Amino acid sequence: MFSLSGEDTPLPNNDETIEYNPNVPPSRPRARDANDAPLEFPGYVLEGELGRGGLGVVYRGRDLTLNRPVAIKVLASTEGSQEQRQKVIEEARRTAALGDRCIVTVYGVIEHQGNAAIVMELVDGHELQNVSSVLEPKQIAKIVSETARALSVAHRAGILHRDIKPQNIVVTPAHEIRILDFGLSIEMDSATVEEGFSGTIAYSAPERLQGLPATPATDIFSLGILFHEALTGRHPFAKLGKPPTISSILAGEPTLPRALRPEIPEDLERICLACLAYQPEKRPNAEEVHQGLVNYLAGQPIQMKDSVVKDHLLNRV
């Protein structure tokens, strides 16, 4: 669910990762009730619920074979989600091969008695939106830089995230990051125009809301929203309710970071606004975002398109 920092108008509490179609109400997985058989997966023990979203429920668990704590994401079992569930399982297997330090490790996929789950590393830390208010701009720049670097690794492997948001970035006590929920990813080569999509509306690129396929540039737009929110404490497009928020994203009118907090360094605003370019081809790729932030942190000039920043300024005028 959304948890926007600062004093901006919050989005409704039920605005989680969903299937979005402009013409069809979103579907939700069926909640388990008292009549359901207890969940069992041989070799694992489920110890308690950690959270839930559009694709299923995440439990704290234990791998009995290796005696280690794990996170177990049990996928929704509604009839209409079977094809989607298989797609998520296949992508989890691909994600497991990435092996990046900032991407949560996928240990395996398990299936038992009609239930399927993804077994992952259990991360100790806090979601970004719960710590960003106490971070300095340079600390936020480092977090976004590492996120962009990990995204570049995934993009080069042909994998998209499709749901980059503060809730999916965990900051550990050692100030490292882990990116969660690559289970929503798709293989770039198989991307087609879809009638709907899995994602979070308030962190979606305008072309996705218009029904176009996900690309690396859509992950970058979501990263730009996350970056803006971490820097300012306010979502650049948030309005009261989903339809106004969608309209704001489609209008391409983000609030300028330095208009909210003049102390934000100009270079960070430039990188953030470049990620929020309305046209996908004007956005930097993940490696360019990473390198720009590395240069900023090293006190070196950044290479970002000034035209994008000017476009945002003109739109505001």
Side-chain angles (χ1 to χ4, degrees):
M1 293 185 292
F2 290 110
S3 178
L4 302 182
S5 305
E7 301 178 353
D8 197 20
T9 303
L11 293 174
N13 287 335
N14 65 347
D15 196 358
E16 55 189 33
T17 301
I18 62 171
E19 286 290 313
Y20 170 72
N21 185 318
N23 303 312
V24 180
S27 60
R28 300 280 182 180
R30 179 181 65 83
R32 295 181 60 81
D33 57 39
N35 297 321
D36 289 328
L39 282 171
E40 292 183 356
F41 293 100
Y44 296 89
V45 172
L46 274 60
E47 299 177 339
E49 184 177 320
L50 293 175
R52 59 179 59 219
L55 290 180
V57 182
V58 181
Y59 295 90
R60 175 187 294 273
R62 179 160 292 278
D63 181 334
L64 298 178
T65 302
L66 299 176
N67 191 29
R68 66 181 175 188
V70 293
I72 301 176
K73 183 170 187 174
V74 180
L75 304 181
S77 57
T78 52
E79 182 179 349
S81 69
Q82 294 302 312
E83 183 178 347
Q84 180 189 41
R85 184 171 72 169
Q86 189 57 39
K87 180 179 178 181
V88 170
I89 290 172
E90 291 171 359
E91 289 307 317
R93 292 190 176 111
R94 275 189 277 268
T95 302
L98 291 176
D100 187 85
R101 67 177 184 271
C102 291
I103 297 175
V104 166
T105 303
V106 175
Y107 295 138
V109 174
I110 52 178
E111 298 186 67
H112 184 64
Q113 296 180 342
N115 294 310
I118 300 170
V119 182
M120 301 172 287
E121 167 191 7
L122 182 64
V123 180
D124 178 22
H126 297 279
E127 296 174 355
L128 178 59
Q129 79 273 12
N130 293 331
V131 299
S132 57
S133 62
V134 299
L135 298 177
E136 298 294 329
K138 283 192 173 182
Q139 293 174 304
I140 293 171
K142 184 176 180 181
I143 288 171
V144 176
S145 171
E146 282 289 271
T147 304
R149 186 201 55 74
L151 280 176
S152 71
V153 171
H155 290 172
R156 285 196 299 271
I159 294 176
L160 307 177
H161 189 284
R162 296 205 303 167
D163 198 24
I164 290 293
K165 58 184 177 182
Q167 293 89 333
N168 280 335
I169 308 297
V170 173
V171 182
T172 73
H175 299 286
E176 298 172 339
I177 71 155
R178 295 289 189 278
I179 305 176
L180 310 180
D181 229 348
F182 261 92
L184 285 176
S185 64
I186 61 171
E187 191 174 19
M188 282 190 232
D189 291 343
S190 65
T192 57
V193 177
E194 303 156 301
E195 292 182 357
F197 71 95
S198 294
T200 305
I201 290 175
Y203 293 86
S204 297
E207 64 271 16
R208 291 292 284 148
L209 297 176
Q210 294 167 340
L212 295 176
T215 67
T218 59
D219 276 350
I220 296 303
F221 191 91
S222 301
L223 182 65
I225 296 178
L226 175 151
F227 193 9
H228 186 295
E229 194 173 9
L231 285 172
T232 67
R234 295 176 61 180
H235 188 287
F237 299 102
K239 305 294 181 183
L240 185 59
K242 294 177 187 176
T245 297
I246 293 172
S247 297
S248 181
I249 294 173
L250 292 174
E253 298 177 353
T255 305
L256 301 180
R258 284 170 53 81
L260 298 173
R261 291 193 173 177
E263 68 273 19
I264 293 173
E266 290 185 16
D267 281 348
L268 292 189
E269 181 180 69
R270 288 176 61 200
I271 296 172
C272 178
L273 292 178
C275 294
L276 294 175
Y278 187 84
Q279 297 175 326
E281 63 272 16
K282 287 191 175 183
R283 297 171 206 153
N285 61 37
E287 178 56 35
E288 289 171 335
V289 175
H290 168 64
Q291 192 57 55
L293 290 168
V294 167
N295 288 351
Y296 163 75
L297 291 168
Q300 299 174 357
I302 66 169
Q303 302 295 324
M304 287 288 155
K305 299 174 182 177
D306 288 328
S307 60
V308 173
V309 180
K310 291 175 182 176
D311 288 345
H312 285 298
L313 292 171
L314 289 173
N315 284 341
R316 301 308 298 173
V317 173

